[in-house]
Amino acid sequence: MRLATLKSETPDGRLAVIAPGGEAFAWAPVATLQQALENWTEVAPQLAQITSFPEALEPEQLCAPLPRAWQWLDGSAFPSHGDLMERLLDVQPLRTGLPYMYQGVSDRFYGPHDDVRFNDEALGIDFEGEFGVIVDHVPMGTTAAEAMDHIKLIVQINDWSLRMLAGQEMKTGFGWVQAKPHCSMAPFAVTPDELGDQWRNGRICVDLLIDWNGRRFGAANGEPMSYGLHELVAHAARTRDLVAGSIIGSGTVSNANYREVGSSCIAEHRAIETLDQGKPQTEFMRFGDRVRMEAKTADGRAPFGAIEQKVVEA
């Protein structure tokens, strides 16, 4: 099942069920995705029973599947990305044996075709392709095994970053605020069964294809995480309940063979250039630049649809 949110007169939009081909939709029996998640046991079977899709879907109608959320918790679970970023930012995180995670801004998620506003190119504008899961209510102390049952939807995210601010904020020991503006989401949130056996061990085992200004930049696969998304959910819920509609991110998708498959963010590519050539060669984004992200399954499907956005001056 694939769900989307269409623009309406309210900030939360209106929930729709998407046809298998992605070209049409039917209105859901509840108004918003947040309402569906809060009543998932009752609502999910009603959504699954919808088989007629009478409305044509236009791309400009689409919001983020969850246009605003109670909570956005982003991990960093790809070891190759972590290693490269530590070298680039000259930081050495405390090794605790626990997942890395920070709490980001969640009052708005850009839709898949929205222009993304920044006020200064010199801040190091960067895209970050990743995956995430949306949960129902997760009780405090939920284990990783139990967390699998609380993962109701999977999403594709662009976690925008301002790299000139990231290193200095990390070194304070308090985490990011200015370096992490609002994220973007691909148009469709999908139930795990949509990925078949490419959803396994709490990992989204598909390639994330990223094009920057029309040129292929990365095609990393989501499988090689040091912690699965179910383990990240359990980590977040260790000392708190997670409300329905909380979003937990994987961190930037990255593979150890990055020289072959490319990268999911510019900063990682610059770190590779530093290793290979002594200094970074690639500049960060400029106003007018475009980025496209589309995850592809082994059989060529794009279950989440595509993020296609332009960076503009605020």
Side-chain angles (χ1 to χ4, degrees):
M1 180 167 58
R2 295 199 291 174
L3 304 176
T5 295
L6 276 59
K7 295 175 183 177
S8 74
E9 67 281 359
T10 72
D12 298 303
R14 187 174 174 190
L15 182 63
V17 182
I18 302 301
E23 76 292 341
F25 71 91
W27 293 116
V30 293
T32 68
L33 181 54
Q34 182 63 38
Q35 287 178 270
L37 290 160
E38 290 172 354
N39 302 278
W40 191 256
T41 301
E42 175 186 349
V43 173
Q46 299 176 39
L47 298 173
Q49 288 171 4
I50 294 174
T51 57
S52 176
F53 305 94
E55 307 285 344
L57 182 64
E58 301 295 337
E60 61 270 15
Q61 296 175 281
L62 293 161
C63 307
L66 198 57
R68 54 181 179 171
W70 288 108
Q71 191 161 220
W72 157 236
L73 297 165
D74 196 15
S76 181
F78 290 87
S80 56
H81 176 75
D83 293 344
L84 287 168
M85 295 309 296
E86 287 172 22
R87 298 188 193 192
L88 181 70
L89 298 174
D90 189 27
V91 294
Q92 188 64 39
L94 180 66
R95 306 296 186 187
T96 63
L98 299 172
Y100 297 139
M101 184 173 284
Y102 75 93
Q103 186 159 357
V105 59
S106 62
D107 64 313
R108 178 190 181 188
F109 286 85
Y110 284 109
H113 306 296
D114 294 343
D115 289 344
V116 182
R117 301 163 58 251
F118 296 99
N119 59 11
D120 190 352
E121 289 178 338
L123 296 179
I125 302 168
D126 197 358
F127 50 81
E128 283 194 72
E130 59 181 88
F131 296 114
V133 295
I134 308 178
V135 297
D136 64 0
H137 172 75
V138 182
M140 185 192 313
T142 291
T143 66
E146 294 167 341
M148 289 294 286
D149 291 334
H150 291 284
I151 293 172
K152 301 306 180 186
L153 296 167
I154 302 172
V155 291
Q156 175 191 307
I157 296 169
N158 183 356
D159 176 31
W160 292 98
S161 294
L162 297 172
R163 297 300 187 183
M164 295 301 106
L165 302 174
Q168 64 192 43
E169 285 197 309
M170 285 184 71
K171 290 175 183 177
T172 67
F174 275 84
W176 287 302
V177 177
Q178 294 179 344
K180 289 292 187 180
H182 295 99
C183 301
S184 306
M185 262 191 224
F188 307 133
V190 310
T191 48
D193 62 284
E194 284 286 326
L195 300 181
D197 64 1
Q198 290 175 272
W199 165 249
R200 55 181 180 268
N201 300 321
R203 291 156 171 84
I204 300 151
C205 307
V206 301
D207 294 337
L208 181 55
L209 308 182
I210 298 178
D211 297 331
W212 179 16
N213 290 331
R215 298 183 64 181
R216 181 56 43 85
F217 190 82
N221 189 277
E223 184 168 14
M225 299 173 69
S226 52
Y227 297 93
L229 282 151
H230 60 311
E231 293 169 301
L232 296 180
V233 172
H235 176 74
R238 181 185 177 191
T239 60
R240 67 177 84 175
D241 293 342
L242 302 182
V243 298
S246 294
I247 307 169
I248 290 83
S250 67
T252 306
V253 177
S254 178
N255 296 168
N257 60 334
Y258 40 70
R259 290 183 179 85
E260 300 168 30
V261 301
S263 298
S264 299
C265 69
I266 301 170
E268 181 175 300
H269 188 75
R270 284 166 59 89
I272 297 164
E273 291 175 333
T274 301
L275 290 176
D276 292 349
Q277 304 172 50
K279 62 179 181 180
Q281 308 291 324
T282 303
E283 299 296 327
F284 290 109
M285 299 185 81
R286 301 291 185 185
F287 298 141
D289 281 6
R290 295 179 178 272
V291 64
R292 186 178 196 276
M293 299 183 178
E294 185 179 44
K296 287 286 187 76
T297 59
D299 60 1
R301 292 181 300 113
F304 308 104
I307 297 172
E308 300 187 71
Q309 295 185 302
K310 181 172 70 172
V311 169
V312 299
E313 185 174 8

